[in-house]
Amino acid sequence: MSLITNVMDHSLDVGYAEAAARKKAQGEGGLPKTLRAKLGLAAGLVLAALVVTVGAAQARVAAPVVAKERQELIDRIDSETSDADKLESAVDTLRDDVSDRQRAALKSSGGSAGADLVGMLSGATAVHGPGVKLVVNDAKEASTGGDGTNPRETSGFSDTGRVRDRDMQRVVNGLWASGAEAVSINGQRLTSLSAIRAAGDAILVDNKPLVPPYTVLAVGDGERLSTRFQNSADGLYLHALEENYGIRATISTESDVRLPAAPSVIIRTAQPTAEKVVKSEKGTS
């Protein structure tokens, strides 16, 4: 019974009693720690609520201003787009008028047959007839980037699996040399003044960007034109692109292909001034 009596008389361990006494001594002369913690938490919550409230109020005040500025920007974009469309329509109308005047001038000066021939060769008139259809496309795995070790890599086209401007130049020149009478790329009629070049990653034909696949239509003797092109140096070059870089190309003969007229055929020539002519004549006399 003495053990039970001892436990009943000394229910709190001596160590616990000393710890409780220390905590009580440290807490004397100030607020209890638990109360300070509660006050700090309450102050933090109040501050957070104040920040959220102020932010919401500012957002509510600024929302109409932001919405107004956004709407003004949208209205400006719509207005400028409309103006650009009107200008483009006016340009197309003027181009059609110039083309009509050119065709009329050709007929009045060289007769109907001569005008038709000149118009066809110059690209001023739409044409149709037998020919070939050549479709050139990028490789299936074409991607951007490169390590600079491939001979086809340039600053404009770092991907060896993509068709480039110089590839299309060789294709078109090969078709002309093989007997094509008229050529177009993706609906863009080519003339003696046409340029095929690159701007960034895009191929431009007469300053108009094209997207792959590139469909080349050529009017001529279909079978002969196809055979001569594929056996030419430019046709073999295209075949090498297929074999080595995965570029895809298909050629077929067509019974009737239709090519539109070029938008405008404007020839500008430079002539020496009268003063220069006089000096030249004096120098040779």
Side-chain angles (χ1 to χ4, degrees), residues 181-252:
E181 300 173 3
V183 180
S184 70
I185 303 178
N186 284 17
Q188 294 294 318
R189 179 75 174 275
L190 301 182
T191 69
S192 59
L193 304 177
S194 296
I196 301 175
R197 60 187 183 85
D201 289 341
I203 294 178
L204 304 183
V205 175
D206 292 337
N207 294 323
K208 292 187 177 181
L210 305 181
V211 296
Y214 307 102
T215 301
V216 184
L217 299 179
V219 174
D221 185 342
E223 293 291 343
R224 183 181 179 187
L225 179 58
S226 176
T227 302
R228 292 185 63 180
F229 172 74
Q230 294 184 70
N231 293 332
S232 67
D234 297 311
L236 295 176
Y237 171 82
L238 181 59
H239 182 68
L241 295 183
E242 296 181 68
E243 293 291 330
N244 298 324
Y245 303 104
I247 289 176
R248 295 166 287 173
T250 58
I251 187 170
S252 60

Side-chain angles (χ1 to χ4, degrees), residues 92 94-96 98-99 102 123 188-189 206 208 261-265:
D92 291 338
L94 292 174
R95 282 177 176 170
D96 293 339
V98 170
S99 298
Q102 287 176 337
Q188 294 294 318
R189 179 75 174 275
D206 292 337
K208 292 187 177 181
S264 62
V265 181

Side-chain angles (χ1 to χ4, degrees), residues 267-273:
I267 300 177
R268 298 181 176 88
T269 57
Q271 297 179 354
T273 61

Side-chain angles (χ1 to χ4, degrees), residues 136-139 142 152 157 159-168 171 201-203 212 214 238 241 247-248:
V136 184
N137 201 356
D138 296 337
R152 279 173 55 80
F157 290 84
D159 177 9
T160 58
R162 300 190 62 188
V163 180
R164 293 185 278 183
D165 56 334
R166 69 188 188 201
D167 301 331
M168 296 307 302
V171 166
D201 289 341
I203 294 178
Y214 307 102
L238 181 59
L241 295 183
I247 289 176
R248 295 166 287 173

Side-chain angles (χ1 to χ4, degrees), residues 6 32 46 64 72 83 90 97 127 176 196 229 232 259 269 282-283:
N6 187 31
V46 171
E72 289 178 353
D83 292 341
D97 182 56
V127 297
W176 285 122
I196 301 175
F229 172 74
S232 67
L259 279 63
T269 57
K282 290 181 179 180

Side-chain angles (χ1 to χ4, degrees), residues 25 35 55 60 65 78 85 87 98 101 104 111 147 152 204 216 253 261 280:
L35 181 57
R60 190 178 298 107
V65 178
D78 292 340
D85 291 340
L87 290 175
V98 170
R101 292 174 183 270
D147 56 6
R152 279 173 55 80
L204 304 183
V216 184
T253 59
S280 177

